[in-house]
Amino acid sequence: MADTAHLLAALDFAAHKHRGQRRKGTGDTPYVNHVIGVAHTLATVGGITDMVTLVAAVLHDTLEDTETTAAELEDRFGTDVCHLVQEVSDDKSLPKQERKRLQVEHGPHLSDRAKCLKLADKTCNVRDVIQSQPVGWSLERRMDYLDWTEKSAVGCRGVNAALEEHYDRVLRRGRETLETAT
Ligand code: ZN
């Protein structure tokens, strides 16, 4: 399949699988906006043109947050994309705190593609938590979330300097915004 058609097929698939899901924030944003934002960040900030990374970015939350199976991803998008999505997905059978701890621990062992994807994901999540406060989250919880993304980003460094600098900027501005809110 031609690259553009492949990417559009992934967008169509993700929009279908995440239909009805909304982001945690106040804006009632459709979930699929998030995965589009991550792919967009990888392409425009990271300068990434690798189709496996971009297609996997669009699909990166389908295993974790929808009923999609790995077999389905492999069948439609190939082994490399499927493996990359698996690499960035948490094991949902584990408790949340354990999953967060493992993300920090696993960072350095991820493939270069997965490191870039994780960094772009964290960047978009930080921006979301700042711009549109998740319902019921205290200021402290938002600050803790930023701290945790910083820890999990450590292991994802050393691959794409532009993505790292962008993450650092978004994090710094996010902290400033939260500090002025205190
Ligand atoms: Zn995500």
Side-chain angles (χ1 to χ4, degrees), residues 90-103:
D90 287 349
D91 178 353
K92 278 253 176 166
S93 68
L94 298 171
K96 186 157 189 190
Q97 284 310 316
E98 177 67 357
R99 293 190 339 239
K100 291 183 90 168
R101 192 185 66 76
L102 285 174
Q103 277 203 38

PDB file of all heavy atoms in Angstrom, residues 90-103:
ATOM      1  N   ASP A  90       1.076  -0.335  27.714  1.00  0.00           N
ATOM      2  CA  ASP A  90       1.207  -0.890  29.066  1.00  0.00           C
ATOM      3  C   ASP A  90       0.483  -2.230  29.147  1.00  0.00           C
ATOM      4  O   ASP A  90      -0.455  -2.475  28.397  1.00  0.00           O
ATOM      5  CB  ASP A  90       0.535   0.038  30.092  1.00  0.00           C
ATOM      6  CG  ASP A  90       1.342   1.303  30.326  1.00  0.00           C
ATOM      7  OD1 ASP A  90       2.489   1.367  29.878  1.00  0.00           O
ATOM      8  OD2 ASP A  90       0.789   2.224  30.971  1.00  0.00           O
ATOM      9  N   ASP A  91       0.902  -3.043  30.097  1.00  0.00           N
ATOM     10  CA  ASP A  91       0.179  -4.265  30.406  1.00  0.00           C
ATOM     11  C   ASP A  91      -0.982  -3.893  31.328  1.00  0.00           C
ATOM     12  O   ASP A  91      -0.795  -3.605  32.503  1.00  0.00           O
ATOM     13  CB  ASP A  91       1.131  -5.253  31.112  1.00  0.00           C
ATOM     14  CG  ASP A  91       0.436  -6.541  31.506  1.00  0.00           C
ATOM     15  OD1 ASP A  91      -0.796  -6.634  31.372  1.00  0.00           O
ATOM     16  OD2 ASP A  91       1.139  -7.458  31.954  1.00  0.00           O
ATOM     17  N   LYS A  92      -2.176  -3.909  30.758  1.00  0.00           N
ATOM     18  CA  LYS A  92      -3.347  -3.409  31.495  1.00  0.00           C
ATOM     19  C   LYS A  92      -3.781  -4.320  32.641  1.00  0.00           C
ATOM     20  O   LYS A  92      -4.653  -3.957  33.436  1.00  0.00           O
ATOM     21  CB  LYS A  92      -4.513  -3.189  30.522  1.00  0.00           C
ATOM     22  CG  LYS A  92      -4.433  -1.857  29.793  1.00  0.00           C
ATOM     23  CD  LYS A  92      -5.483  -0.906  30.342  1.00  0.00           C
ATOM     24  CE  LYS A  92      -5.380   0.463  29.727  1.00  0.00           C
ATOM     25  NZ  LYS A  92      -6.556   1.281  29.978  1.00  0.00           N
ATOM     26  N   SER A  93      -3.182  -5.514  32.717  1.00  0.00           N
ATOM     27  CA  SER A  93      -3.553  -6.406  33.818  1.00  0.00           C
ATOM     28  C   SER A  93      -2.861  -5.981  35.115  1.00  0.00           C
ATOM     29  O   SER A  93      -3.200  -6.443  36.198  1.00  0.00           O
ATOM     30  CB  SER A  93      -3.190  -7.854  33.473  1.00  0.00           C
ATOM     31  OG  SER A  93      -1.784  -8.004  33.417  1.00  0.00           O
ATOM     32  N   LEU A  94      -1.881  -5.068  34.996  1.00  0.00           N
ATOM     33  CA  LEU A  94      -1.149  -4.615  36.195  1.00  0.00           C
ATOM     34  C   LEU A  94      -1.830  -3.386  36.800  1.00  0.00           C
ATOM     35  O   LEU A  94      -2.468  -2.618  36.089  1.00  0.00           O
ATOM     36  CB  LEU A  94       0.295  -4.259  35.820  1.00  0.00           C
ATOM     37  CG  LEU A  94       1.155  -5.397  35.259  1.00  0.00           C
ATOM     38  CD1 LEU A  94       2.472  -4.864  34.734  1.00  0.00           C
ATOM     39  CD2 LEU A  94       1.406  -6.457  36.330  1.00  0.00           C
ATOM     40  N   PRO A  95      -1.651  -3.177  38.117  1.00  0.00           N
ATOM     41  CA  PRO A  95      -2.218  -1.969  38.741  1.00  0.00           C
ATOM     42  C   PRO A  95      -1.560  -0.706  38.173  1.00  0.00           C
ATOM     43  O   PRO A  95      -0.408  -0.757  37.725  1.00  0.00           O
ATOM     44  CB  PRO A  95      -1.865  -2.119  40.222  1.00  0.00           C
ATOM     45  CG  PRO A  95      -1.254  -3.453  40.390  1.00  0.00           C
ATOM     46  CD  PRO A  95      -0.922  -4.021  39.049  1.00  0.00           C
ATOM     47  N   LYS A  96      -2.293   0.402  38.214  1.00  0.00           N
ATOM     48  CA  LYS A  96      -1.841   1.631  37.573  1.00  0.00           C
ATOM     49  C   LYS A  96      -0.467   2.110  38.055  1.00  0.00           C
ATOM     50  O   LYS A  96       0.387   2.488  37.250  1.00  0.00           O
ATOM     51  CB  LYS A  96      -2.892   2.728  37.803  1.00  0.00           C
ATOM     52  CG  LYS A  96      -2.564   3.989  37.032  1.00  0.00           C
ATOM     53  CD  LYS A  96      -3.775   4.847  36.783  1.00  0.00           C
ATOM     54  CE  LYS A  96      -3.354   5.958  35.828  1.00  0.00           C
ATOM     55  NZ  LYS A  96      -4.343   6.988  35.676  1.00  0.00           N
ATOM     56  N   GLN A  97      -0.246   2.083  39.368  1.00  0.00           N
ATOM     57  CA  GLN A  97       1.033   2.568  39.895  1.00  0.00           C
ATOM     58  C   GLN A  97       2.201   1.723  39.391  1.00  0.00           C
ATOM     59  O   GLN A  97       3.277   2.230  39.097  1.00  0.00           O
ATOM     60  CB  GLN A  97       1.023   2.586  41.433  1.00  0.00           C
ATOM     61  CG  GLN A  97       0.242   3.743  42.039  1.00  0.00           C
ATOM     62  CD  GLN A  97       0.617   5.106  41.441  1.00  0.00           C
ATOM     63  OE1 GLN A  97       1.791   5.418  41.239  1.00  0.00           O
ATOM     64  NE2 GLN A  97      -0.385   5.928  41.117  1.00  0.00           N
ATOM     65  N   GLU A  98       1.953   0.414  39.289  1.00  0.00           N
ATOM     66  CA  GLU A  98       2.974  -0.500  38.794  1.00  0.00           C
ATOM     67  C   GLU A  98       3.260  -0.213  37.316  1.00  0.00           C
ATOM     68  O   GLU A  98       4.412  -0.218  36.876  1.00  0.00           O
ATOM     69  CB  GLU A  98       2.478  -1.943  38.987  1.00  0.00           C
ATOM     70  CG  GLU A  98       3.399  -3.024  38.449  1.00  0.00           C
ATOM     71  CD  GLU A  98       4.722  -3.145  39.206  1.00  0.00           C
ATOM     72  OE1 GLU A  98       4.957  -2.353  40.131  1.00  0.00           O
ATOM     73  OE2 GLU A  98       5.532  -4.013  38.823  1.00  0.00           O
ATOM     74  N   ARG A  99       2.222   0.079  36.545  1.00  0.00           N
ATOM     75  CA  ARG A  99       2.413   0.394  35.119  1.00  0.00           C
ATOM     76  C   ARG A  99       3.243   1.664  34.965  1.00  0.00           C
ATOM     77  O   ARG A  99       4.097   1.768  34.099  1.00  0.00           O
ATOM     78  CB  ARG A  99       1.053   0.562  34.427  1.00  0.00           C
ATOM     79  CG  ARG A  99       0.308  -0.750  34.374  1.00  0.00           C
ATOM     80  CD  ARG A  99      -0.943  -0.767  33.519  1.00  0.00           C
ATOM     81  NE  ARG A  99      -1.595   0.461  33.207  1.00  0.00           N
ATOM     82  CZ  ARG A  99      -2.863   0.744  33.517  1.00  0.00           C
ATOM     83  NH1 ARG A  99      -3.589  -0.119  34.209  1.00  0.00           N
ATOM     84  NH2 ARG A  99      -3.409   1.872  33.138  1.00  0.00           N
ATOM     85  N   LYS A 100       2.967   2.638  35.838  1.00  0.00           N
ATOM     86  CA  LYS A 100       3.712   3.905  35.759  1.00  0.00           C
ATOM     87  C   LYS A 100       5.187   3.682  36.124  1.00  0.00           C
ATOM     88  O   LYS A 100       6.077   4.234  35.486  1.00  0.00           O
ATOM     89  CB  LYS A 100       3.081   4.958  36.685  1.00  0.00           C
ATOM     90  CG  LYS A 100       1.724   5.422  36.189  1.00  0.00           C
ATOM     91  CD  LYS A 100       1.145   6.516  37.057  1.00  0.00           C
ATOM     92  CE  LYS A 100       1.572   7.865  36.558  1.00  0.00           C
ATOM     93  NZ  LYS A 100       0.812   8.969  37.191  1.00  0.00           N
ATOM     94  N   ARG A 101       5.402   2.849  37.116  1.00  0.00           N
ATOM     95  CA  ARG A 101       6.780   2.552  37.520  1.00  0.00           C
ATOM     96  C   ARG A 101       7.526   1.835  36.387  1.00  0.00           C
ATOM     97  O   ARG A 101       8.671   2.157  36.070  1.00  0.00           O
ATOM     98  CB  ARG A 101       6.759   1.654  38.777  1.00  0.00           C
ATOM     99  CG  ARG A 101       8.101   1.493  39.464  1.00  0.00           C
ATOM    100  CD  ARG A 101       8.036   0.505  40.623  1.00  0.00           C
ATOM    101  NE  ARG A 101       7.760  -0.861  40.181  1.00  0.00           N
ATOM    102  CZ  ARG A 101       8.663  -1.662  39.614  1.00  0.00           C
ATOM    103  NH1 ARG A 101       9.891  -1.237  39.431  1.00  0.00           N
ATOM    104  NH2 ARG A 101       8.349  -2.891  39.236  1.00  0.00           N
ATOM    105  N   LEU A 102       6.845   0.888  35.756  1.00  0.00           N
ATOM    106  CA  LEU A 102       7.471   0.127  34.672  1.00  0.00           C
ATOM    107  C   LEU A 102       7.803   1.005  33.468  1.00  0.00           C
ATOM    108  O   LEU A 102       8.801   0.787  32.796  1.00  0.00           O
ATOM    109  CB  LEU A 102       6.567  -1.035  34.240  1.00  0.00           C
ATOM    110  CG  LEU A 102       6.530  -2.225  35.214  1.00  0.00           C
ATOM    111  CD1 LEU A 102       5.492  -3.244  34.772  1.00  0.00           C
ATOM    112  CD2 LEU A 102       7.905  -2.878  35.323  1.00  0.00           C
ATOM    113  N   GLN A 103       6.968   2.014  33.221  1.00  0.00           N
ATOM    114  CA  GLN A 103       7.257   2.915  32.094  1.00  0.00           C
ATOM    115  C   GLN A 103       8.594   3.622  32.297  1.00  0.00           C
ATOM    116  O   GLN A 103       9.365   3.796  31.360  1.00  0.00           O
ATOM    117  CB  GLN A 103       6.154   3.963  31.943  1.00  0.00           C
ATOM    118  CG  GLN A 103       4.953   3.450  31.172  1.00  0.00           C
ATOM    119  CD  GLN A 103       4.160   4.590  30.547  1.00  0.00           C
ATOM    120  OE1 GLN A 103       4.726   5.572  30.059  1.00  0.00           O
ATOM    121  NE2 GLN A 103       2.851   4.478  30.572  1.00  0.00           N
TER     122      GLN A 103
END
